[in-house]
PDB file of all heavy atoms in Angstrom:
ATOM      1  N   THR R   1     -15.180   6.163  -0.653  1.00  0.00           N
ATOM      2  CA  THR R   1     -15.330   7.391   0.078  1.00  0.00           C
ATOM      3  C   THR R   1     -16.464   7.324   1.068  1.00  0.00           C
ATOM      4  O   THR R   1     -16.344   7.889   2.199  1.00  0.00           O
ATOM      5  CB  THR R   1     -15.623   8.511  -0.997  1.00  0.00           C
ATOM      6  OG1 THR R   1     -14.528   8.647  -1.850  1.00  0.00           O
ATOM      7  CG2 THR R   1     -15.786   9.891  -0.278  1.00  0.00           C
ATOM      8  N   ALA R   2     -17.663   6.772   0.653  1.00  0.00           N
ATOM      9  CA  ALA R   2     -18.755   6.625   1.567  1.00  0.00           C
ATOM     10  C   ALA R   2     -18.455   5.855   2.780  1.00  0.00           C
ATOM     11  O   ALA R   2     -18.716   6.208   3.948  1.00  0.00           O
ATOM     12  CB  ALA R   2     -19.949   6.037   0.769  1.00  0.00           C
ATOM     13  N   VAL R   3     -17.803   4.671   2.513  1.00  0.00           N
ATOM     14  CA  VAL R   3     -17.452   3.803   3.701  1.00  0.00           C
ATOM     15  C   VAL R   3     -16.467   4.585   4.612  1.00  0.00           C
ATOM     16  O   VAL R   3     -16.571   4.529   5.850  1.00  0.00           O
ATOM     17  CB  VAL R   3     -16.743   2.487   3.115  1.00  0.00           C
ATOM     18  CG1 VAL R   3     -16.069   1.740   4.274  1.00  0.00           C
ATOM     19  CG2 VAL R   3     -17.825   1.634   2.410  1.00  0.00           C
ATOM     20  N   ASP R   4     -15.488   5.254   4.075  1.00  0.00           N
ATOM     21  CA  ASP R   4     -14.510   5.895   4.897  1.00  0.00           C
ATOM     22  C   ASP R   4     -15.207   7.024   5.729  1.00  0.00           C
ATOM     23  O   ASP R   4     -14.837   7.222   6.917  1.00  0.00           O
ATOM     24  CB  ASP R   4     -13.450   6.584   3.969  1.00  0.00           C
ATOM     25  CG  ASP R   4     -12.518   5.558   3.283  1.00  0.00           C
ATOM     26  OD1 ASP R   4     -12.563   4.365   3.765  1.00  0.00           O
ATOM     27  OD2 ASP R   4     -11.846   5.967   2.397  1.00  0.00           O
ATOM     28  N   ALA R   5     -16.144   7.686   5.128  1.00  0.00           N
ATOM     29  CA  ALA R   5     -16.851   8.781   5.834  1.00  0.00           C
ATOM     30  C   ALA R   5     -17.669   8.195   6.955  1.00  0.00           C
ATOM     31  O   ALA R   5     -17.660   8.778   8.132  1.00  0.00           O
ATOM     32  CB  ALA R   5     -17.771   9.570   4.917  1.00  0.00           C
ATOM     33  N   VAL R   6     -18.357   7.075   6.773  1.00  0.00           N
ATOM     34  CA  VAL R   6     -19.158   6.439   7.794  1.00  0.00           C
ATOM     35  C   VAL R   6     -18.311   5.904   8.906  1.00  0.00           C
ATOM     36  O   VAL R   6     -18.547   6.117  10.124  1.00  0.00           O
ATOM     37  CB  VAL R   6     -20.097   5.383   7.163  1.00  0.00           C
ATOM     38  CG1 VAL R   6     -20.731   4.533   8.261  1.00  0.00           C
ATOM     39  CG2 VAL R   6     -21.011   5.951   6.193  1.00  0.00           C
ATOM     40  N   VAL R   7     -17.233   5.153   8.520  1.00  0.00           N
ATOM     41  CA  VAL R   7     -16.310   4.625   9.551  1.00  0.00           C
ATOM     42  C   VAL R   7     -15.606   5.687  10.353  1.00  0.00           C
ATOM     43  O   VAL R   7     -15.471   5.598  11.582  1.00  0.00           O
ATOM     44  CB  VAL R   7     -15.292   3.681   8.836  1.00  0.00           C
ATOM     45  CG1 VAL R   7     -14.211   3.244   9.818  1.00  0.00           C
ATOM     46  CG2 VAL R   7     -15.926   2.440   8.243  1.00  0.00           C
ATOM     47  N   ALA R   8     -15.272   6.786   9.704  1.00  0.00           N
ATOM     48  CA  ALA R   8     -14.621   7.936  10.433  1.00  0.00           C
ATOM     49  C   ALA R   8     -15.526   8.519  11.448  1.00  0.00           C
ATOM     50  O   ALA R   8     -15.157   8.859  12.545  1.00  0.00           O
ATOM     51  CB  ALA R   8     -14.079   8.960   9.445  1.00  0.00           C
ATOM     52  N   ALA R   9     -16.809   8.630  11.058  1.00  0.00           N
ATOM     53  CA  ALA R   9     -17.755   9.203  11.964  1.00  0.00           C
ATOM     54  C   ALA R   9     -17.963   8.286  13.187  1.00  0.00           C
ATOM     55  O   ALA R   9     -18.075   8.720  14.307  1.00  0.00           O
ATOM     56  CB  ALA R   9     -19.126   9.437  11.233  1.00  0.00           C
ATOM     57  N   HIS R  10     -18.051   6.981  12.876  1.00  0.00           N
ATOM     58  CA  HIS R  10     -18.237   6.022  13.950  1.00  0.00           C
ATOM     59  C   HIS R  10     -17.049   5.962  14.884  1.00  0.00           C
ATOM     60  O   HIS R  10     -17.199   5.974  16.125  1.00  0.00           O
ATOM     61  CB  HIS R  10     -18.442   4.627  13.343  1.00  0.00           C
ATOM     62  CG  HIS R  10     -18.617   3.548  14.326  1.00  0.00           C
ATOM     63  ND1 HIS R  10     -19.635   3.476  15.200  1.00  0.00           N
ATOM     64  CD2 HIS R  10     -17.840   2.455  14.536  1.00  0.00           C
ATOM     65  CE1 HIS R  10     -19.493   2.418  15.999  1.00  0.00           C
ATOM     66  NE2 HIS R  10     -18.362   1.724  15.636  1.00  0.00           N
ATOM     67  N   ALA R  11     -15.806   6.121  14.305  1.00  0.00           N
ATOM     68  CA  ALA R  11     -14.656   6.061  15.174  1.00  0.00           C
ATOM     69  C   ALA R  11     -14.487   7.260  16.009  1.00  0.00           C
ATOM     70  O   ALA R  11     -14.081   7.212  17.213  1.00  0.00           O
ATOM     71  CB  ALA R  11     -13.444   5.936  14.271  1.00  0.00           C
ATOM     72  N   ALA R  12     -14.867   8.500  15.504  1.00  0.00           N
ATOM     73  CA  ALA R  12     -14.783   9.669  16.243  1.00  0.00           C
ATOM     74  C   ALA R  12     -15.822   9.802  17.358  1.00  0.00           C
ATOM     75  O   ALA R  12     -15.617  10.322  18.472  1.00  0.00           O
ATOM     76  CB  ALA R  12     -14.855  10.883  15.351  1.00  0.00           C
ATOM     77  N   GLY R  13     -17.086   9.303  17.057  1.00  0.00           N
ATOM     78  CA  GLY R  13     -18.128   9.357  18.017  1.00  0.00           C
ATOM     79  C   GLY R  13     -18.400  10.682  18.606  1.00  0.00           C
ATOM     80  O   GLY R  13     -18.684  10.855  19.811  1.00  0.00           O
ATOM     81  N   GLN R  14     -18.395  11.726  17.792  1.00  0.00           N
ATOM     82  CA  GLN R  14     -18.522  13.022  18.318  1.00  0.00           C
ATOM     83  C   GLN R  14     -20.010  13.365  18.727  1.00  0.00           C
ATOM     84  O   GLN R  14     -20.989  12.888  18.165  1.00  0.00           O
ATOM     85  CB  GLN R  14     -18.154  14.017  17.167  1.00  0.00           C
ATOM     86  CG  GLN R  14     -16.721  14.036  16.814  1.00  0.00           C
ATOM     87  CD  GLN R  14     -16.453  14.960  15.604  1.00  0.00           C
ATOM     88  OE1 GLN R  14     -16.621  14.574  14.498  1.00  0.00           O
ATOM     89  NE2 GLN R  14     -15.963  16.145  15.968  1.00  0.00           N
ATOM     90  N   THR R  15     -20.082  14.261  19.715  1.00  0.00           N
ATOM     91  CA  THR R  15     -21.325  14.825  20.167  1.00  0.00           C
ATOM     92  C   THR R  15     -21.463  16.210  19.505  1.00  0.00           C
ATOM     93  O   THR R  15     -20.869  17.168  19.912  1.00  0.00           O
ATOM     94  CB  THR R  15     -21.418  14.914  21.681  1.00  0.00           C
ATOM     95  OG1 THR R  15     -21.410  13.631  22.324  1.00  0.00           O
ATOM     96  CG2 THR R  15     -22.658  15.711  22.114  1.00  0.00           C
ATOM     97  N   VAL R  16     -22.171  16.249  18.449  1.00  0.00           N
ATOM     98  CA  VAL R  16     -22.398  17.458  17.677  1.00  0.00           C
ATOM     99  C   VAL R  16     -23.877  17.511  17.208  1.00  0.00           C
ATOM    100  O   VAL R  16     -24.559  16.433  17.159  1.00  0.00           O
ATOM    101  CB  VAL R  16     -21.484  17.597  16.476  1.00  0.00           C
ATOM    102  CG1 VAL R  16     -20.028  17.686  16.918  1.00  0.00           C
ATOM    103  CG2 VAL R  16     -21.660  16.493  15.535  1.00  0.00           C
ATOM    104  N   ALA R  17     -24.364  18.680  16.791  1.00  0.00           N
ATOM    105  CA  ALA R  17     -25.615  18.791  16.141  1.00  0.00           C
ATOM    106  C   ALA R  17     -25.551  18.030  14.835  1.00  0.00           C
ATOM    107  O   ALA R  17     -24.493  17.951  14.157  1.00  0.00           O
ATOM    108  CB  ALA R  17     -25.967  20.243  15.900  1.00  0.00           C
ATOM    109  N   SER R  18     -26.707  17.425  14.398  1.00  0.00           N
ATOM    110  CA  SER R  18     -26.665  16.742  13.173  1.00  0.00           C
ATOM    111  C   SER R  18     -26.424  17.642  11.948  1.00  0.00           C
ATOM    112  O   SER R  18     -25.990  17.251  10.905  1.00  0.00           O
ATOM    113  CB  SER R  18     -27.897  15.831  12.937  1.00  0.00           C
ATOM    114  OG  SER R  18     -29.066  16.602  13.090  1.00  0.00           O
ATOM    115  N   ARG R  19     -26.733  18.961  12.072  1.00  0.00           N
ATOM    116  CA  ARG R  19     -26.355  19.869  10.994  1.00  0.00           C
ATOM    117  C   ARG R  19     -24.900  19.971  10.860  1.00  0.00           C
ATOM    118  O   ARG R  19     -24.326  20.069   9.785  1.00  0.00           O
ATOM    119  CB  ARG R  19     -26.939  21.250  11.255  1.00  0.00           C
ATOM    120  CG  ARG R  19     -26.520  21.956  12.579  1.00  0.00           C
ATOM    121  CD  ARG R  19     -26.964  23.379  12.667  1.00  0.00           C
ATOM    122  NE  ARG R  19     -26.611  23.984  13.940  1.00  0.00           N
ATOM    123  CZ  ARG R  19     -26.628  25.300  14.184  1.00  0.00           C
ATOM    124  NH1 ARG R  19     -26.949  26.127  13.256  1.00  0.00           N
ATOM    125  NH2 ARG R  19     -26.300  25.719  15.346  1.00  0.00           N
ATOM    126  N   LYS R  20     -24.153  19.890  11.990  1.00  0.00           N
ATOM    127  CA  LYS R  20     -22.690  19.886  11.924  1.00  0.00           C
ATOM    128  C   LYS R  20     -22.183  18.484  11.438  1.00  0.00           C
ATOM    129  O   LYS R  20     -21.193  18.457  10.711  1.00  0.00           O
ATOM    130  CB  LYS R  20     -22.070  20.080  13.357  1.00  0.00           C
ATOM    131  CG  LYS R  20     -20.575  20.173  13.394  1.00  0.00           C
ATOM    132  CD  LYS R  20     -19.994  21.274  12.496  1.00  0.00           C
ATOM    133  CE  LYS R  20     -18.472  21.313  12.603  1.00  0.00           C
ATOM    134  NZ  LYS R  20     -17.884  22.304  11.683  1.00  0.00           N
ATOM    135  N   ALA R  21     -22.867  17.464  11.827  1.00  0.00           N
ATOM    136  CA  ALA R  21     -22.548  16.169  11.335  1.00  0.00           C
ATOM    137  C   ALA R  21     -22.676  16.130   9.797  1.00  0.00           C
ATOM    138  O   ALA R  21     -21.901  15.488   9.028  1.00  0.00           O
ATOM    139  CB  ALA R  21     -23.465  15.061  11.923  1.00  0.00           C
ATOM    140  N   SER R  22     -23.664  16.875   9.267  1.00  0.00           N
ATOM    141  CA  SER R  22     -23.891  16.965   7.831  1.00  0.00           C
ATOM    142  C   SER R  22     -22.621  17.635   7.187  1.00  0.00           C
ATOM    143  O   SER R  22     -22.127  17.252   6.097  1.00  0.00           O
ATOM    144  CB  SER R  22     -25.134  17.690   7.568  1.00  0.00           C
ATOM    145  OG  SER R  22     -25.245  17.973   6.147  1.00  0.00           O
ATOM    146  N   GLN R  23     -22.160  18.736   7.790  1.00  0.00           N
ATOM    147  CA  GLN R  23     -21.086  19.403   7.242  1.00  0.00           C
ATOM    148  C   GLN R  23     -19.828  18.578   7.237  1.00  0.00           C
ATOM    149  O   GLN R  23     -18.976  18.591   6.301  1.00  0.00           O
ATOM    150  CB  GLN R  23     -20.826  20.699   7.964  1.00  0.00           C
ATOM    151  CG  GLN R  23     -19.765  21.609   7.353  1.00  0.00           C
ATOM    152  CD  GLN R  23     -19.568  22.867   8.131  1.00  0.00           C
ATOM    153  OE1 GLN R  23     -19.447  22.846   9.336  1.00  0.00           O
ATOM    154  NE2 GLN R  23     -19.539  24.001   7.406  1.00  0.00           N
ATOM    155  N   ILE R  24     -19.675  17.786   8.314  1.00  0.00           N
ATOM    156  CA  ILE R  24     -18.480  16.876   8.401  1.00  0.00           C
ATOM    157  C   ILE R  24     -18.469  15.879   7.263  1.00  0.00           C
ATOM    158  O   ILE R  24     -17.502  15.631   6.644  1.00  0.00           O
ATOM    159  CB  ILE R  24     -18.443  16.181   9.773  1.00  0.00           C
ATOM    160  CG1 ILE R  24     -18.178  17.169  10.934  1.00  0.00           C
ATOM    161  CG2 ILE R  24     -17.409  15.088   9.792  1.00  0.00           C
ATOM    162  CD1 ILE R  24     -18.449  16.591  12.320  1.00  0.00           C
ATOM    163  N   ALA R  25     -19.733  15.295   7.040  1.00  0.00           N
ATOM    164  CA  ALA R  25     -19.884  14.393   5.931  1.00  0.00           C
ATOM    165  C   ALA R  25     -19.636  15.091   4.587  1.00  0.00           C
ATOM    166  O   ALA R  25     -18.936  14.507   3.693  1.00  0.00           O
ATOM    167  CB  ALA R  25     -21.191  13.760   5.901  1.00  0.00           C
ATOM    168  N   LEU R  26     -20.125  16.307   4.478  1.00  0.00           N
ATOM    169  CA  LEU R  26     -19.955  17.020   3.225  1.00  0.00           C
ATOM    170  C   LEU R  26     -18.477  17.383   2.928  1.00  0.00           C
ATOM    171  O   LEU R  26     -18.058  17.412   1.781  1.00  0.00           O
ATOM    172  CB  LEU R  26     -20.781  18.283   3.274  1.00  0.00           C
ATOM    173  CG  LEU R  26     -22.191  18.198   2.812  1.00  0.00           C
ATOM    174  CD1 LEU R  26     -22.932  19.493   3.008  1.00  0.00           C
ATOM    175  CD2 LEU R  26     -22.300  17.858   1.338  1.00  0.00           C
ATOM    176  N   GLU R  27     -17.665  17.588   3.962  1.00  0.00           N
ATOM    177  CA  GLU R  27     -16.259  17.862   3.761  1.00  0.00           C
ATOM    178  C   GLU R  27     -15.615  16.695   2.962  1.00  0.00           C
ATOM    179  O   GLU R  27     -14.861  16.924   1.980  1.00  0.00           O
ATOM    180  CB  GLU R  27     -15.543  18.034   5.094  1.00  0.00           C
ATOM    181  CG  GLU R  27     -15.777  19.368   5.805  1.00  0.00           C
ATOM    182  CD  GLU R  27     -15.193  20.533   5.196  1.00  0.00           C
ATOM    183  OE1 GLU R  27     -14.487  20.365   4.137  1.00  0.00           O
ATOM    184  OE2 GLU R  27     -15.438  21.649   5.656  1.00  0.00           O
ATOM    185  N   ALA R  28     -16.009  15.464   3.318  1.00  0.00           N
ATOM    186  CA  ALA R  28     -15.438  14.297   2.587  1.00  0.00           C
ATOM    187  C   ALA R  28     -16.068  14.212   1.191  1.00  0.00           C
ATOM    188  O   ALA R  28     -15.290  13.984   0.227  1.00  0.00           O
ATOM    189  CB  ALA R  28     -15.772  13.042   3.381  1.00  0.00           C
ATOM    190  N   PHE R  29     -17.363  14.367   1.063  1.00  0.00           N
ATOM    191  CA  PHE R  29     -18.022  14.092  -0.158  1.00  0.00           C
ATOM    192  C   PHE R  29     -17.723  15.244  -1.205  1.00  0.00           C
ATOM    193  O   PHE R  29     -17.579  14.959  -2.394  1.00  0.00           O
ATOM    194  CB  PHE R  29     -19.528  13.925  -0.008  1.00  0.00           C
ATOM    195  CG  PHE R  29     -19.925  12.644   0.680  1.00  0.00           C
ATOM    196  CD1 PHE R  29     -20.597  12.617   1.808  1.00  0.00           C
ATOM    197  CD2 PHE R  29     -19.512  11.414   0.103  1.00  0.00           C
ATOM    198  CE1 PHE R  29     -20.977  11.363   2.388  1.00  0.00           C
ATOM    199  CE2 PHE R  29     -19.862  10.235   0.662  1.00  0.00           C
ATOM    200  CZ  PHE R  29     -20.508  10.159   1.857  1.00  0.00           C
ATOM    201  N   THR R  30     -17.717  16.479  -0.794  1.00  0.00           N
ATOM    202  CA  THR R  30     -17.378  17.605  -1.710  1.00  0.00           C
ATOM    203  C   THR R  30     -16.016  17.514  -2.230  1.00  0.00           C
ATOM    204  O   THR R  30     -15.738  17.881  -3.383  1.00  0.00           O
ATOM    205  CB  THR R  30     -17.696  18.985  -1.119  1.00  0.00           C
ATOM    206  OG1 THR R  30     -17.033  19.118   0.083  1.00  0.00           O
ATOM    207  CG2 THR R  30     -19.209  19.092  -0.919  1.00  0.00           C
ATOM    208  N   ALA R  31     -15.072  17.018  -1.372  1.00  0.00           N
ATOM    209  CA  ALA R  31     -13.714  16.890  -1.854  1.00  0.00           C
ATOM    210  C   ALA R  31     -13.537  15.750  -2.890  1.00  0.00           C
ATOM    211  O   ALA R  31     -12.708  15.907  -3.747  1.00  0.00           O
ATOM    212  CB  ALA R  31     -12.780  16.592  -0.587  1.00  0.00           C
ATOM    213  N   ALA R  32     -14.367  14.776  -2.761  1.00  0.00           N
ATOM    214  CA  ALA R  32     -14.272  13.642  -3.636  1.00  0.00           C
ATOM    215  C   ALA R  32     -15.156  13.710  -4.860  1.00  0.00           C
ATOM    216  O   ALA R  32     -14.873  13.051  -5.898  1.00  0.00           O
ATOM    217  CB  ALA R  32     -14.637  12.349  -2.930  1.00  0.00           C
ATOM    218  N   LEU R  33     -16.204  14.494  -4.772  1.00  0.00           N
ATOM    219  CA  LEU R  33     -17.230  14.626  -5.951  1.00  0.00           C
ATOM    220  C   LEU R  33     -17.262  16.057  -6.423  1.00  0.00           C
ATOM    221  O   LEU R  33     -18.023  16.884  -5.868  1.00  0.00           O
ATOM    222  CB  LEU R  33     -18.540  14.113  -5.460  1.00  0.00           C
ATOM    223  CG  LEU R  33     -18.887  12.621  -5.468  1.00  0.00           C
ATOM    224  CD1 LEU R  33     -18.097  11.966  -4.437  1.00  0.00           C
ATOM    225  CD2 LEU R  33     -20.356  12.397  -5.244  1.00  0.00           C
ATOM    226  N   PRO R  34     -16.579  16.410  -7.491  1.00  0.00           N
ATOM    227  CA  PRO R  34     -16.624  17.778  -7.987  1.00  0.00           C
ATOM    228  C   PRO R  34     -17.964  18.172  -8.458  1.00  0.00           C
ATOM    229  O   PRO R  34     -18.232  19.426  -8.736  1.00  0.00           O
ATOM    230  CB  PRO R  34     -15.585  17.787  -9.100  1.00  0.00           C
ATOM    231  CG  PRO R  34     -15.460  16.358  -9.529  1.00  0.00           C
ATOM    232  CD  PRO R  34     -15.695  15.554  -8.286  1.00  0.00           C
ATOM    233  N   GLU R  35     -18.832  17.299  -8.778  1.00  0.00           N
ATOM    234  CA  GLU R  35     -20.202  17.556  -9.275  1.00  0.00           C
ATOM    235  C   GLU R  35     -21.132  18.098  -8.146  1.00  0.00           C
ATOM    236  O   GLU R  35     -22.174  18.524  -8.458  1.00  0.00           O
ATOM    237  CB  GLU R  35     -20.835  16.396  -9.967  1.00  0.00           C
ATOM    238  CG  GLU R  35     -21.031  15.118  -9.108  1.00  0.00           C
ATOM    239  CD  GLU R  35     -19.875  14.152  -9.265  1.00  0.00           C
ATOM    240  OE1 GLU R  35     -18.672  14.574  -9.285  1.00  0.00           O
ATOM    241  OE2 GLU R  35     -20.199  12.930  -9.472  1.00  0.00           O
ATOM    242  N   LEU R  36     -20.702  17.994  -6.940  1.00  0.00           N
ATOM    243  CA  LEU R  36     -21.608  18.507  -5.838  1.00  0.00           C
ATOM    244  C   LEU R  36     -21.577  20.016  -5.790  1.00  0.00           C
ATOM    245  O   LEU R  36     -20.500  20.634  -5.796  1.00  0.00           O
ATOM    246  CB  LEU R  36     -21.122  17.996  -4.492  1.00  0.00           C
ATOM    247  CG  LEU R  36     -21.607  16.607  -4.097  1.00  0.00           C
ATOM    248  CD1 LEU R  36     -20.944  16.134  -2.753  1.00  0.00           C
ATOM    249  CD2 LEU R  36     -23.129  16.621  -3.908  1.00  0.00           C
ATOM    250  N   LEU R  37     -22.778  20.532  -6.025  1.00  0.00           N
ATOM    251  CA  LEU R  37     -22.942  22.036  -6.126  1.00  0.00           C
ATOM    252  C   LEU R  37     -23.871  22.475  -4.958  1.00  0.00           C
ATOM    253  O   LEU R  37     -25.163  22.126  -5.007  1.00  0.00           O
ATOM    254  CB  LEU R  37     -23.499  22.386  -7.487  1.00  0.00           C
ATOM    255  CG  LEU R  37     -23.704  23.881  -7.807  1.00  0.00           C
ATOM    256  CD1 LEU R  37     -22.333  24.630  -7.755  1.00  0.00           C
ATOM    257  CD2 LEU R  37     -24.386  24.093  -9.175  1.00  0.00           C
ATOM    258  N   GLY R  38     -23.371  23.131  -4.002  1.00  0.00           N
ATOM    259  CA  GLY R  38     -24.097  23.398  -2.795  1.00  0.00           C
ATOM    260  C   GLY R  38     -24.737  24.797  -2.822  1.00  0.00           C
ATOM    261  O   GLY R  38     -24.652  25.578  -3.755  1.00  0.00           O
ATOM    262  N   GLY R  39     -25.379  25.175  -1.645  1.00  0.00           N
ATOM    263  CA  GLY R  39     -25.983  26.439  -1.519  1.00  0.00           C
ATOM    264  C   GLY R  39     -26.898  26.549  -0.332  1.00  0.00           C
ATOM    265  O   GLY R  39     -27.094  25.566   0.417  1.00  0.00           O
ATOM    266  N   SER R  40     -27.355  27.733  -0.053  1.00  0.00           N
ATOM    267  CA  SER R  40     -28.216  27.942   1.098  1.00  0.00           C
ATOM    268  C   SER R  40     -29.027  29.254   0.820  1.00  0.00           C
ATOM    269  O   SER R  40     -28.629  30.162   0.109  1.00  0.00           O
ATOM    270  CB  SER R  40     -27.427  28.109   2.363  1.00  0.00           C
ATOM    271  OG  SER R  40     -28.248  28.473   3.474  1.00  0.00           O
ATOM    272  N   ALA R  41     -30.216  29.265   1.366  1.00  0.00           N
ATOM    273  CA  ALA R  41     -31.168  30.390   1.247  1.00  0.00           C
ATOM    274  C   ALA R  41     -30.895  31.364   2.348  1.00  0.00           C
ATOM    275  O   ALA R  41     -31.698  31.660   3.248  1.00  0.00           O
ATOM    276  CB  ALA R  41     -32.628  29.919   1.268  1.00  0.00           C
ATOM    277  N   ASP R  42     -29.699  32.001   2.310  1.00  0.00           N
ATOM    278  CA  ASP R  42     -29.226  32.991   3.225  1.00  0.00           C
ATOM    279  C   ASP R  42     -29.066  32.510   4.636  1.00  0.00           C
ATOM    280  O   ASP R  42     -29.287  33.211   5.626  1.00  0.00           O
ATOM    281  CB  ASP R  42     -30.223  34.182   3.207  1.00  0.00           C
ATOM    282  CG  ASP R  42     -29.581  35.500   3.730  1.00  0.00           C
ATOM    283  OD1 ASP R  42     -28.393  35.729   3.332  1.00  0.00           O
ATOM    284  OD2 ASP R  42     -30.111  36.091   4.599  1.00  0.00           O
ATOM    285  N   LEU R  43     -28.707  31.233   4.806  1.00  0.00           N
ATOM    286  CA  LEU R  43     -28.552  30.634   6.110  1.00  0.00           C
ATOM    287  C   LEU R  43     -27.322  29.712   6.187  1.00  0.00           C
ATOM    288  O   LEU R  43     -27.329  28.719   6.874  1.00  0.00           O
ATOM    289  CB  LEU R  43     -29.815  29.758   6.412  1.00  0.00           C
ATOM    290  CG  LEU R  43     -31.112  30.485   6.744  1.00  0.00           C
ATOM    291  CD1 LEU R  43     -32.352  29.593   6.728  1.00  0.00           C
ATOM    292  CD2 LEU R  43     -31.019  31.222   8.056  1.00  0.00           C
ATOM    293  N   THR R  44     -26.297  30.116   5.425  1.00  0.00           N
ATOM    294  CA  THR R  44     -25.176  29.252   5.361  1.00  0.00           C
ATOM    295  C   THR R  44     -24.576  28.885   6.734  1.00  0.00           C
ATOM    296  O   THR R  44     -24.194  27.765   6.984  1.00  0.00           O
ATOM    297  CB  THR R  44     -24.095  29.883   4.451  1.00  0.00           C
ATOM    298  OG1 THR R  44     -24.672  30.132   3.075  1.00  0.00           O
ATOM    299  CG2 THR R  44     -22.852  29.015   4.274  1.00  0.00           C
TER     300      THR R  44
END
């Protein structure tokens, strides 16, 4: 899953904020890891 996420990011080569890059990575990791429990301090 980690390799796929990194390779996909490299292949896409998107120009985005790294906060958005984090969400893109999280889409892959949260789908694969049910133990990931997220949150935000009123700044989702």
Side-chain angles (χ1 to χ4, degrees):
T1 299
V3 169
D4 291 346
V6 172
V7 171
H10 177 62
Q14 292 175 278
T15 293
V16 295
S18 54
R19 60 171 175 164
K20 181 62 178 177
S22 171
Q23 187 179 46
I24 293 169
L26 274 173
E27 288 288 357
F29 288 123
T30 55
L33 276 68
E35 59 262 47
L36 276 173
L37 182 62
S40 175
D42 201 46
L43 289 167
T44 301

